[in-house]
Structures are given as C-alpha cells and as structure tokens.
Amino acid sequence: MKFSFPKLRLIEVVIADFDVLILGGGPAGSATALALRKHAPKLSVAIVEASLYESARIGEVLPAIAKTLLEHLGIRAAFEKENHLSVYSTVSAWGEAAAHENHSIFSTSGAGWHLDRRSFDAFLTCQAKLNGATIFLNSRLQTFEKSDGGWLVKLSDNAEKRTRFIVDATGRRAVFARKNGAAIETGDRLVSFSRFFTMGETRAPETLIESFPEGWWYTARAGARRVVTCLTDADIGVKLNLSAKENWFDLFYETREIRKSVGCGDATDEENLTRPANSARLVPVCDADWLAVGDAASAFDPLSSQGITKALRSAVFASYAIADLLVKRDQTAVSRYRKFIETEYCVYQKLYKKYYSNEQRWRDSLFWQRRHGANPN
C-alpha cells in the first residue's frame, strides 16, 4: 500500500531569550514591563537599566490623575505603602507678581504626591520584577543587529540576548531609536539648572512656579530635600553662566516666592544638575519590531507637570500595541501606537502655547519672544 503525506507548511520559529527587551528602567520602561506582564502574561519581558538608582533624578511631582494609571498597572496599593508626601497645592506667580494657589480641595482627583525619584524609579522596577520581569541593573546597550526575525543585542558586560521586540525607554536621548535611524525634532531650547536644599523650617510642601525675565523657576519637595530649578534656553543659560554656582545664586536671590519657599534651608554640596527640558518628539516613534516610550517618544516642557504621568500612559498604550503584534499577529498595532503619540503631542503643543501666552510682562526678553512667536531665533 502506498501512503501519501501532506505537504508540511514551514512555520517561522524565533528562538529568543525574551519576547520583549526594554532599554531603560525609568517610569516608562518599568511601566511598560508591568503593563505587558498584566496584559499579555505569556510574553517574557526584561529591563536593561544603566544605573543602580544611586544618582539624583529630576522630576518630583506625581499628579493625582496618575492614580488611575497606578491602579491599571496593579501597583496603587503598593505605591501608597511607600508613604510619599502628598501635594495639596500648586502656587504660581505667573502673568503677575502676586502668587496664586490652586488647592487640591477643589480638584475631584484629590492630592498628588511629592516623590524622591530615585526611590520611586527603583520601586517601579522592583514591582516589575515581582510581576515576572527579568531585570539587568548597571547594564547598557553596547551593540545590536537584526537576527532571525528579531534582534541580537550585546550588553555592556558582553552578554548577548536575543529578543523579538525592543522598547526604547532611554529618555530624551532615545539611544536605540537614533542608532536605528530615527531623528529627534526639537520644539525649543529649554534647559534646567537644579540644586538641592535641606528643608529648613517646617513648611507646607507645595509646588511653586515663578516666572522671571529670562525664564522661570520651580521648586518642590524631593524626598527629605527640596529641589530648586531655574529654567531658561540653553544659549541664554550659557550667556548667564548658570552652571557657575555664584551666578545661579545671584538669580535665585532675585526671586520672591521661590526664595521664601526655601526659607532657612541650606544648599547641599551637590553639583548643579543641568538637564535638557525642551519639547521634542521622535520621528519615527516606532517600526515593525521596536517602539519608543516616555521621553524617548516625546518630551514635554516641565511646566506641563505631565512627565511621569505621560510616561505611565504611553507605557500602557505601548503594551497594547506590542501584545497585539506579538500575540495576535496584528500588523497594524504599532501604527495605532504611532497615531496615539502624534495626537498626544499635538494636543500638548496647543496647551504649551496657551500657557506661555499668559505671561506678557517681558515682551522684550528673547526667552518670552520665542514663546510668543515674535522671535524664532
């Protein structure tokens, strides 16, 4: 008897150490891991974080609207056990010299939180690990190449990892995406110059914003300390030599509300932290086998107070796109994510212009002319 066998259909099998490799263990990276482990638990996930969370990090306020995101990620109860200080008000001297307070009692969302970013970021990564993600600390991306339907990545310890999909959560530098051909479009030149102070006398831990001719100031609790930040454009910061301690303090002593808020607190011995704070977006923000989240995808002016919230939100939408692609084989998933990031950035740009237009006291200042569209240079 003669037997005939059916033709075998070749099935692509990608052998990978992880389904998803996330570069960066900040809020966006860890939240992406958390959301993936919750939404698509069959996918294996790893985070590669360059630090041990030992250095100071800027970004100290988590607005109350983030509560729903923490709930969605399944970590709200654990977060509340961390006992971060509540933010009950925001005080703003913007558009006029008098300061005005917006109290959380008038918000349906309630109070937000002041954060020590080192402990908060480490907390999120720990939660990702507890939910099944693999964590590589003190490790960086060294090289990468396409390989067998995925990526072959070499880390700084020369360990090689194969993955089906890469998430760039490396912040404003967008390290992987730029090396892969993406470009960063910048909207302005804003830079922050920050110093830490002891808390001094007991004061309400409010967030405070105060504009001045060359930009604006910001202060908030940061764990057991207070951070004070001067924000201006990079070229103006160079002209004012704000990296020099004495120049920074000369401007600080000219403030009114900021100086009062610091009170008797003393400046710590830490160096001035200079960080980019400009509006920017990545183009493209994703491809068939990678995407960017958080500040790597788009970065907002700190005036928006949306940095961490935006990171968590983009992580959730990224997890949907990645799961639909890898689990459901939905090839349109990353396109939907791209549209979400584009729409979010367009809405932000409108709010950015509206809020900066509320300050009209220094129309001859280059910083404010740029924000009002009077001087693009």
Side-chain angles (χ1 to χ4, degrees):
M1 183 179 292
K2 188 176 181 179
F3 293 95
S4 62
F5 295 92
K7 291 183 178 181
L8 297 178
R9 185 179 59 166
L10 294 178
I11 300 176
E12 180 185 10
V13 177
V14 179
I15 300 175
D17 297 294
F18 302 100
D19 293 306
V20 183
L21 188 68
I22 301 170
L23 304 174
S30 294
T32 301
L34 280 163
L36 275 169
R37 292 300 302 154
K38 181 178 180 182
H39 184 62
K42 291 184 179 180
L43 294 178
S44 56
V45 181
I47 297 173
V48 178
E49 164 56 31
S51 75
L52 295 172
Y53 300 105
E54 71 280 14
S55 301
R57 299 184 174 207
I58 301 298
E60 305 78 23
V61 176
L62 185 64
I65 57 173
K67 292 176 182 177
T68 56
L69 291 167
L70 296 174
E71 190 76 45
H72 181 85
L73 294 172
I75 61 171
R76 180 173 173 180
F79 169 77
E80 291 178 345
K81 290 180 181 178
E82 295 289 294
N83 294 320
H84 293 283
L85 290 171
S86 296
V87 179
Y88 292 107
S89 67
T90 299
V91 178
S92 177
W94 191 274
E96 57 182 302
H100 298 276
E101 181 181 26
N102 293 317
H103 202 282
S104 63
I105 195 172
F106 301 111
S107 170
T108 56
S109 299
W113 299 273
H114 283 295
L115 303 175
D116 179 329
R117 276 296 302 277
R118 284 180 293 186
S119 63
F120 177 70
D121 289 8
F123 161 79
L124 287 178
T125 303
C126 181
Q127 290 299 308
K129 182 177 181 179
L130 291 173
N131 282 272
T134 300
I135 313 298
F136 298 102
L137 294 179
N138 201 27
S139 184
R140 290 177 170 82
L141 174 68
Q142 186 167 309
T143 62
F144 63 88
E145 61 183 52
K146 295 271 192 177
S147 175
D148 299 329
W151 297 93
L152 175 62
V153 173
K154 181 181 286 188
L155 302 181
S156 52
D157 62 356
N158 290 322
E160 291 187 343
K161 304 295 177 183
R162 294 185 184 275
T163 183
R164 298 168 63 192
F165 198 93
I166 289 179
V167 175
D168 189 334
T170 59
R172 290 172 175 270
R173 296 176 300 154
V175 174
F176 170 82
R178 289 193 298 110
K179 288 182 177 179
N180 204 40
I184 298 175
E185 294 183 353
T186 57
D188 55 69
R189 316 175 198 190
L190 194 68
V191 174
S192 66
F193 300 86
S194 303
R195 291 187 179 275
F196 289 96
F197 288 73
T198 61
M199 283 305 298
E201 62 193 55
T202 302
R203 289 179 176 270
E206 74 276 356
T207 302
L208 198 151
I209 297 169
E210 180 177 354
S211 57
F212 77 112
E214 305 299 341
W216 54 280
W217 288 81
Y218 161 84
T219 184
R221 285 285 292 262
R225 304 180 295 175
R226 177 176 291 279
V227 65
V228 179
T229 300
C230 179
L231 295 105
T232 188
D233 287 336
D235 56 332
I236 298 174
V238 170
K239 183 179 179 180
L240 296 173
N241 195 17
L242 286 177
S243 295
K245 184 176 181 179
E246 59 274 15
N247 292 30
W248 190 94
F249 273 97
D250 285 344
L251 277 183
F252 167 74
Y253 289 127
E254 291 178 8
T255 66
R256 178 181 174 182
E257 302 301 328
I258 295 290
R259 187 162 40 85
K260 285 196 304 183
S261 182
V262 171
C264 298
D266 296 319
T268 67
D269 294 330
E270 293 169 280
E271 291 294 321
N272 187 338
L273 291 179
T274 303
R275 298 286 186 271
N278 59 297
S279 304
R281 65 175 175 175
L282 187 71
V283 181
V285 74
C286 56
D287 206 342
D289 48 12
W290 69 268
L291 59 74
V293 293
D295 283 350
S298 65
F300 291 2
D301 188 307
L303 193 61
S304 69
S305 298
Q306 291 190 51
I308 302 174
T309 304
K310 181 179 71 69
L312 301 181
R313 184 171 59 239
S314 70
V316 171
F317 280 90
S319 73
Y320 294 158
I322 296 167
D324 285 350
L325 176 67
L326 298 185
V327 178
K328 299 180 181 179
R329 305 291 184 181
D330 181 354
Q331 300 299 320
T332 66
V334 291
S335 296
R336 292 195 298 273
Y337 178 75
R338 180 187 297 112
K339 184 63 176 177
F340 161 72
I341 295 296
E342 290 175 353
T343 301
E344 181 186 54
Y345 193 76
C346 287
V347 171
Y348 155 72
Q349 286 181 307
K350 293 177 181 178
L351 294 174
Y352 169 94
K353 293 177 181 178
K354 180 179 179 181
Y355 202 84
Y356 270 107
S357 69
N358 290 334
E359 180 54 88
Q360 296 287 337
R361 287 180 289 171
W362 299 291
R363 296 184 182 182
D364 294 333
S365 162
L366 178 59
F367 178 89
W368 294 102
Q369 285 179 351
R370 287 170 174 169
R371 270 68 189 170
H372 301 155
N375 190 335
N377 299 315

